[in-house]
Amino acid sequence: MREMVEKYETVLVVGGEGEKCREVAEGYGFRDVITPGDIIKDNEATTPFRKLTPEERANSKKRNFGETKIDAIFVFADSRDWAGDIQIMLDLAMSKGGYIGTISETFDEGPPIYFSHNDIVWSAAHDNVRLGMGALRKMVEMLFKDLTKGKEFETIAFGKPQIGTFQFATRLLQQWRKDEHRINAPPETVYFVGDTPESDIRGTNQFNEKSKNDWYSILVRTGVFQEGTEPAYRPRITVDTVLDAVNHGIKREFNKKMNTAKSALALNSFGLKNLSLNGEPLNGDAKVGMKTPILEVSESTTPEAV
């Protein structure tokens, strides 16, 4: 979403507690950020069953929404009031050019709606999984179709398993390596740890098929994973905790380095056995008066370096 700062001027941010999402959006660089509280403060009839608390009223900004064009809607975090937020998002989706209170005749003039992820459920303290942002997205699309008598409305979801999220992560990793280590390339292997097969593992595996580097999917049993079931999307390995995933990655990388070092040492040994000087093989006993050739072994392949 941060990459869309230059594309949209005035945006509505939805979700989260208090003013957190507004602050995050402004931190990303968005120049004019509106919240549902701002819209309700301007016209309390917008959400008949939601009344602003004194704190919300104090934080919400007063403005004339009859003259305010909203260019895009971003659902940054899970909604704390589904009914009110859905009402406002639908009002704008059916609006004429993003102006609250207007109705489009064709229902295709409203601002786009972006969701930060598409997980329908997530694992919380409850014994059963809880509804997530993906469920909110489905409700918005379904209600829009019902209200407009069959008109389709396609929202956009970031996050996993959308390929764009992994492409963005790759760009960030490459930039970080360039800034910190002067290496202008993404890591050869990225260990992606997740607890949801339908989003984390699915997205990682799909991106790995297209990416130039290796994206290694690891599923942890601490989320929506249920023991004894076969995940819809198979990870490269399943572990108990995130720490186990980190240790697995470290061990795997160490083994890769050791195998590379062993191969290099084997090649060097082969070269020593087949060296000759003036047609005489050097197999351990150098003749008196003869100079022993010096082999240059790169530092990265010596046992000490390993």
Side-chain angles (χ1 to χ4, degrees):
M1 292 182 178
R2 183 167 53 190
E3 295 184 331
M4 295 192 171
V5 167
E6 299 302 324
K7 187 175 182 179
Y8 300 115
E9 178 69 26
T10 302
V11 299
L12 170 69
V13 294
V14 177
E17 298 177 354
E19 295 290 291
K20 290 181 180 178
C21 285
R22 193 202 303 265
E23 293 168 1
V24 170
E26 291 174 345
Y28 284 172
F30 285 101
R31 297 171 291 279
D32 188 14
V33 181
I34 295 169
T35 68
D38 298 344
I39 296 173
I40 298 171
K41 186 174 183 177
D42 180 62
N43 184 358
E44 294 190 2
T46 302
T47 55
F49 304 114
R50 179 185 175 185
K51 304 301 179 184
L52 297 179
T53 65
E55 183 180 0
E56 288 175 331
R57 185 174 296 279
N59 290 328
S60 297
K61 299 178 180 179
K62 184 68 176 178
R63 66 191 297 169
N64 182 2
F65 281 97
E67 301 175 355
T68 301
K69 181 180 186 299
I70 296 176
D71 300 311
I73 302 170
F74 292 97
V75 184
F76 270 31
D78 286 286
S79 168
R80 269 45 173 186
D81 179 70
W82 282 36
D85 289 344
I86 288 176
Q87 181 69 71
I88 291 172
M89 285 191 285
L90 287 172
D91 284 346
L92 283 167
M94 295 186 296
S95 71
K96 195 174 184 64
Y99 289 93
I100 285 283
T102 63
I103 293 289
S104 170
E105 296 177 358
T106 56
F107 298 118
D108 58 1
E109 301 176 80
I113 302 179
Y114 296 90
F115 290 82
S116 62
H117 67 82
N118 195 39
D119 289 352
I120 294 178
V121 296
W122 63 292
S123 180
H126 198 275
D127 292 338
N128 297 327
V129 293
R130 304 288 86 188
L131 293 176
M133 192 182 296
L136 178 67
R137 181 190 181 198
K138 285 184 176 293
M139 289 183 65
V140 169
E141 292 179 344
M142 179 189 69
L143 290 171
F144 182 91
K145 186 174 182 178
D146 287 346
L147 291 171
T148 59
K149 309 302 181 186
K151 186 79 174 181
E152 297 285 348
F153 181 64
E154 292 187 7
T155 61
I156 304 101
F158 294 117
K160 306 151 296 185
Q162 280 69 30
I163 295 299
T165 295
F166 294 87
Q167 293 171 333
F168 178 68
T170 300
R171 293 195 295 272
L172 285 183
L173 286 170
Q174 181 166 343
Q175 187 62 48
W176 173 78
R177 280 161 59 88
K178 183 178 180 180
D179 295 340
E180 296 293 328
H181 304 288
R182 298 181 180 179
I183 303 173
N184 190 19
E188 292 181 5
T189 304
V190 178
Y191 292 90
F192 194 99
V193 186
D195 63 2
T196 308
E198 287 74 15
S199 58
D200 298 323
I201 306 306
R202 177 186 179 185
T204 307
N205 291 349
Q206 289 179 345
F207 185 63
N208 184 57
E209 295 176 359
K210 301 180 179 181
S211 63
K212 295 180 180 179
N213 56 344
D214 183 24
W215 281 70
Y216 189 99
S217 58
I218 302 178
L219 177 66
V220 290
R221 296 185 174 94
T222 53
V224 300
F225 172 82
Q226 295 181 351
E227 195 66 51
T229 62
E230 184 69 26
Y233 300 90
R234 288 188 176 185
R236 304 270 277 273
I237 191 173
T238 301
V239 297
D240 290 328
T241 67
V242 174
L243 179 58
D244 292 334
V246 173
N247 286 331
H248 173 77
I250 292 173
K251 182 178 179 180
R252 185 170 180 268
E253 289 300 308
F254 179 78
N255 289 337
K256 284 164 60 177
K257 298 291 185 184
M258 287 298 295
N259 291 334
T260 301
K262 287 178 181 178
S263 298
L265 289 173
L267 286 173
N268 287 334
S269 298
F270 178 79
L272 282 169
K273 289 179 181 178
N274 291 276
L275 276 176
S276 63
L277 186 63
N278 299 326
E280 296 292 333
L282 293 177
N283 52 10
D285 296 326
K287 295 180 180 180
V288 178
M290 293 178 61
K291 293 183 180 180
T292 304
I294 298 175
L295 282 179
E296 291 187 3
V297 182
S298 62
E299 184 179 348
S300 61
T301 57
T302 61
E304 293 80 9
V306 175

